[in-house]
Amino acid sequence: MMDAGRHPRIKLLTLSEVEEVTGYVGNFHVKVRKKARFVDEGACTSCGECATVCPVTVPDEYQIGLGTRKAIYKPFPQAVPSAYVINLADCLGMNPIACGKCAERCQKKCIDFDMRDEIIEFDVGAIIVATGMEPYDPTAMDEYGYTRFENVITSMEFERLICASGPTEGHLVRPSDHKIPKRIGFIQCVGSRMDSRGNPYCSNICCMNTVKDSLLLKEHYPDIEIYVFYIDLRAFGKGFEDLLKRSRQAGVKYIRGLPGSVVEDPETRNLIVSVENTTAGRVEQYELDMLILSVGLKPREDADRLRQILNLSKTSDGFLLEAHPKLRPVDAPTPGVFLAGCVEAPKDIKDSVTQASAAVARASTVLNSERLVVEAITAVVDKDKCTACGVCARVCPFGAIKFDKDKKAPPEVIEAMCAGCGTCAAECRFDAITSAALHR
Amino acid sequence: MAEQENFRCLRCGYEYSQPKSGKAQVEERICPKCKSNSVRKLSK
Amino acid sequence: MAAVEAAVGENGRERIVVFACNWCSYAGADGAGVARLQQPPNARIIRTMCSGRVAEKFILRAFELGAAMVLVSGCHLADCHYISANSWTQKRVDRLWDRLEKLGIRPERLQLEWISAAEGQKFARVMQEIEEMRKTVTAEEIEHTRRVLAEEREKEAVRKKPRVKA
């Protein structure tokens, strides 16, 4: 990330949101809103003095609520750009200035309460969408007791606890009594592979994530007992089977069956898990000190806005549609737009990077062409017959027809976006738009 | 109870009903008897 | 339109007019041919880029010229080469079925089938089933259809007369 931030030909716009994209392949015009940071990015040295005097303490999102931060903060130690930011919602007030202690303390005088959002516009030839995903929130899965039982946590929270720069400096402690647990369970497929709640698809990474976590735990605490409750163990990638074998050899117990119920012992706060062990063919009970829910991935809640801006479609699982599942996996159906990473489907780091490289290669093809080949058959508007009803623009699957309903003028077909399907011509009641998609 | 929708197959004449699907996308209609897609949605 | 006229030809009573999309159904039909599957010889296939291109006026024209049966065929709903264009096809055919019934024309003379490039067998089977249905279409029925649709077209022409722009 630091390399990207430093690279002379990469312009990094953080705290920014794409508001509008117009145009077509080779000629996109983009409008971005860069939100106010209230700190001069270039001047801030991340000394941290401002945060020491800030009176507001709130839960830290990066630590999944397990730690705290101030209203003026650095998102995480390796953040790029390496500067602090003021969260407007948390700050006591800037207009009028309610506190102002951070600005007083800052020796570089780089805190500016008068900063405002900036609209930045520019032209690009190609767009790559890599906006990622969100973890599933298992609160809805009541039988596992997440948020009801203190010692039931998600895999994301586990990552923070075991991380050396996390809220417990890498020590795995139980939320209820801060003791180190002796028996831990991992429940797989939380929010994945189910029809009733969560999502029906497999989230790709959770099996291997748990295998990795189990080895990490055995390294830290060799005597810890680990139970993994699973439906299948998906260890398909390079080196994955080996990792799974090592996990088993280290003494991690894999039990084929997902728990039906989790009950809390009110005194010890331990969790009593009932599960049908399908390989052994009997119902078993396990008393565990801590339970980790291996949550799946889902599309971001705010993904629809960007989808509409770029006129992209979703597949039935809610992730973005690729132009062809096998032959064009990183192209979006819209020419000039490409996809990379989990925005297209759940996948791990290696596959995300592979897709990113592929998307860049595809985008380079566009950028390095002198001319672009577009569809030979495109729709043509007959201005005399057109009544400016707007139906053609509405039905076009590619958003290739520009129609301004206030202007009441015939629409404009963007040839570079028209795929030649002819739906507009079929829906037009006035024979005002033709598409030679019917072979004569 | 989800709203029921009535269908008639125009290939074999079979009539059946199905609960209204929550999905926004148009769904493929398949006659349970003859597997044809020529299934007409009947208005009540 | 010329393609529709050519397809129906002289002997409409025998005719099954098929609109097949380039990417799926036409390839499926081709597959049926390659596999030498038995098919009615009286069918005429018109290839469009997408089933979404098949406008109501093409289907009605085919019936007006005397075609006994019309089949509209395209990619399965989730597989359209043009993303969602075939969802408009479904809606359009739904509207046409209502309209045909109102005009006193049997809606089952218009058939809709989603056939992929790999479903040559399905194409052949569907064609045989439609041929069986075609045999139930009488000459009187076709005459009636031709009259009613010709009248409809007259009414449309009057309604659509280009307005004098001020």
Side-chain angles (χ1 to χ4, degrees):
Chain A
M1 208 168 17
M2 220 165 55
D3 287 343
R6 277 204 215 142
H7 198 286
R9 281 161 57 203
I10 296 179
K11 187 161 177 195
L12 201 58
L13 295 173
T14 55
L15 276 186
S16 304
E17 217 177 299
V18 172
E19 294 221 312
E20 194 186 69
V21 174
T22 51
Y24 51 92
V25 57
N27 293 289
F28 290 111
H29 185 76
V30 181
K31 241 188 232 172
V32 170
R33 174 183 293 270
K34 189 173 202 301
K35 305 233 179 101
R37 180 180 274 263
F38 305 107
V39 172
D40 183 341
E41 279 172 37
C44 175
T45 58
S46 297
C47 69
E49 291 287 306
C50 49
T52 58
V53 295
C54 176
V56 178
T57 304
V58 290
D60 187 350
E61 302 89 351
Y62 187 71
Q63 307 289 12
I64 322 281
L66 296 170
T68 60
R69 62 164 174 82
K70 298 296 184 71
I72 186 166
Y73 68 110
K74 192 170 178 187
F76 52 94
Q78 305 84 3
V80 173
S82 182
Y84 273 59
V85 57
I86 300 182
N87 187 321
L88 200 50
D90 301 330
C91 176
L92 290 176
M94 291 186 198
N95 200 7
I97 299 174
C99 155
K101 291 208 176 74
C102 53
E104 259 177 58
R105 184 59 168 254
C106 178
Q107 290 181 16
K108 287 213 80 179
K109 296 282 165 250
C110 57
I111 297 179
D112 178 8
F113 296 132
D114 292 324
M115 248 193 220
R116 289 289 169 263
D117 291 354
E118 216 188 311
I119 304 283
I120 303 177
E121 294 188 51
F122 47 87
D123 293 326
V124 294
I127 296 176
I128 299 178
V129 179
T131 48
M133 48 65 202
E134 266 173 10
Y136 173 74
D137 178 355
T139 314
M141 301 203 60
D142 202 49
E143 64 267 39
Y144 293 153
Y146 181 65
T147 68
R148 286 190 297 126
F149 307 147
E150 268 190 273
N151 293 325
V152 175
I153 61 172
T154 64
S155 42
M156 286 296 291
E157 288 167 335
F158 171 81
E159 291 296 323
R160 293 322 303 157
L161 290 176
I162 201 94
C163 177
S165 61
T168 58
E169 294 180 349
H171 300 293
L172 182 67
V173 293
R174 293 204 325 158
S176 63
D177 53 15
H178 296 205
K179 292 218 188 82
I180 296 184
K182 297 208 184 57
R183 299 160 301 183
I184 292 205
F186 284 86
I187 301 184
Q188 297 303 108
C189 301
V190 176
S192 311
R193 302 186 68 185
M194 17 186 72
D195 290 320
S196 49
R197 284 162 299 173
N199 302 296
Y201 52 81
C202 168
S203 292
N204 190 313
I205 57 162
C206 338
C207 281
M208 286 318 295
N209 190 56
T210 295
V211 169
K212 172 208 54 161
D213 286 343
S214 69
L215 281 171
L216 211 60
L217 280 171
K218 280 288 185 179
E219 226 178 72
H220 276 58
Y221 312 106
D223 294 326
I224 197 171
E225 273 174 56
I226 304 177
Y227 300 92
V228 177
F229 303 102
Y230 69 97
I231 309 175
D232 296 292
L233 286 170
R234 299 188 156 173
F236 53 88
K238 187 172 185 176
F240 289 2
E241 181 66 26
D242 185 55
L243 213 65
L244 176 58
K245 210 159 52 167
R246 281 169 44 197
S247 174
R248 285 200 151 112
Q249 283 168 353
V252 177
K253 307 260 185 324
Y254 287 88
I255 294 161
R256 193 175 178 280
L258 292 188
S261 82
V262 173
V263 172
E264 192 191 40
D265 179 328
E267 278 173 31
T268 59
R269 304 306 200 122
N270 287 353
L271 303 141
I272 296 133
V273 168
S274 302
V275 60
E276 183 197 346
N277 185 335
T278 56
T279 13
R282 55 170 188 252
V283 175
E284 296 176 341
Q285 268 200 350
Y286 292 88
E287 186 167 344
L288 304 167
D289 302 319
M290 218 169 147
L291 203 52
I292 296 159
L293 303 179
S294 200
V295 290
L297 307 179
K298 67 176 180 50
R300 292 177 62 128
E301 288 297 326
D302 55 8
D304 271 344
R305 186 155 176 264
L306 186 65
R307 255 196 346 104
Q308 276 159 18
I309 292 174
L310 288 170
N311 198 46
L312 298 174
S313 309
K314 288 193 281 201
T315 39
S316 57
D317 55 13
F319 292 97
L320 292 188
L321 176 71
E322 65 272 54
H324 189 286
K326 301 220 193 246
L327 303 177
R328 291 172 68 198
V330 297
D331 294 24
T334 312
V337 179
F338 306 94
L339 310 172
C342 288
V343 73
E344 181 261 328
K347 58 178 66 74
D348 65 0
I349 296 176
K350 181 177 183 178
D351 290 341
S352 295
V353 173
T354 307
Q355 261 202 341
S357 307
V360 167
R362 298 286 298 146
S364 300
T365 312
V366 169
L367 298 178
N368 288 308
S369 316
E370 279 186 24
R371 281 174 296 187
L372 287 171
V373 178
V374 291
E375 273 297 325
I377 348 165
T378 53
V380 176
V381 177
D382 182 340
K383 296 200 162 67
D384 293 323
K385 291 190 181 153
C386 175
T387 60
C389 68
V391 166
C392 56
R394 192 165 55 86
V395 302
C396 176
F398 299 90
I401 303 184
K402 295 287 162 267
F403 175 70
D404 188 343
K405 62 180 188 289
D406 299 315
K407 279 218 203 105
K408 268 291 174 184
E412 190 199 330
V413 175
I414 314 274
E415 281 192 13
M417 291 173 80
C418 175
C421 70
T423 307
C424 52
E427 290 289 324
C428 178
R429 283 164 24 235
F430 307 97
D431 292 340
I433 186 165
T434 51
S435 165
L438 179 71
H439 290 255
R440 302 216 165 270
Chain B
M1 236 278 281
E3 215 185 297
Q4 290 285 103
E5 288 184 323
N6 303 315
F7 297 97
R8 179 192 301 139
C9 171
L10 291 183
R11 186 72 54 76
C12 66
Y14 182 63
E15 281 190 25
Y16 65 97
S17 68
Q18 218 176 267
K20 193 170 184 154
S21 112
K23 304 202 183 120
Q25 292 163 302
V26 178
E27 278 196 337
E28 200 164 304
R29 300 178 199 155
I30 304 176
C31 170
K33 203 151 158 244
C34 70
K35 306 281 184 285
S36 164
N37 299 125
S38 293
V39 176
R40 201 178 157 196
K41 182 149 65 162
L42 304 171
S43 46
K44 291 169 233 326
Chain C
M1 268 311 208
V4 176
E5 280 154 25
V8 180
E10 290 297 309
N11 210 348
R13 180 142 177 249
E14 309 258 299
R15 196 62 70 229
I16 302 170
V17 174
V18 180
F19 292 94
C21 87
N22 178 63
W23 304 98
C24 289
S25 303
Y26 195 79
D30 202 43
V34 165
R36 302 204 200 290
L37 297 170
Q38 195 63 296
Q39 281 186 74
N42 42 319
R44 292 289 180 271
I45 304 178
I46 298 175
R47 179 166 64 128
T48 61
M49 289 314 285
C50 179
S51 62
R53 179 67 185 98
V54 184
E56 294 182 31
K57 65 179 182 186
F58 297 148
I59 300 171
L60 292 175
R61 185 79 177 131
F63 280 128
E64 189 194 331
L65 291 172
M69 303 284 297
V70 171
L71 167 67
V72 174
S73 183
C75 309
H76 289 268
L77 282 182
D79 298 337
C80 180
H81 184 82
Y82 302 100
I83 312 173
S84 56
N86 53 5
S87 65
W88 298 106
T89 314
Q90 174 76 70
K91 294 189 179 133
R92 209 174 295 143
V93 170
D94 272 326
R95 286 201 305 267
L96 260 184
W97 276 328
D98 289 340
R99 195 166 165 202
L100 288 173
E101 195 170 56
K102 250 198 223 143
L103 291 169
I105 303 169
R106 278 195 292 151
E108 50 265 35
R109 286 171 63 194
L110 171 60
Q111 292 281 318
L112 175 69
E113 204 67 41
W114 308 120
I115 300 176
S116 79
E119 291 179 305
Q121 287 212 333
K122 181 176 180 189
F123 183 82
R125 178 177 55 81
V126 165
M127 289 307 291
Q128 294 291 28
E129 288 171 5
I130 293 180
E131 170 61 11
E132 290 306 304
M133 293 180 77
R134 184 201 64 78
K135 293 181 180 151
T136 70
V137 181
T138 63
E140 292 80 34
E141 222 184 318
I142 295 185
E143 263 317 297
H144 171 258
T145 305
R146 293 187 72 158
R147 251 185 304 119
V148 169
L149 288 179
E151 274 170 34
E152 276 298 297
R153 197 153 56 83
E154 283 294 311
K155 287 189 210 157
E156 286 269 322
V158 167
R159 203 171 49 79
K160 273 195 214 168
K161 229 161 123 168
R163 299 173 229 170
V164 178
K165 293 227 162 89

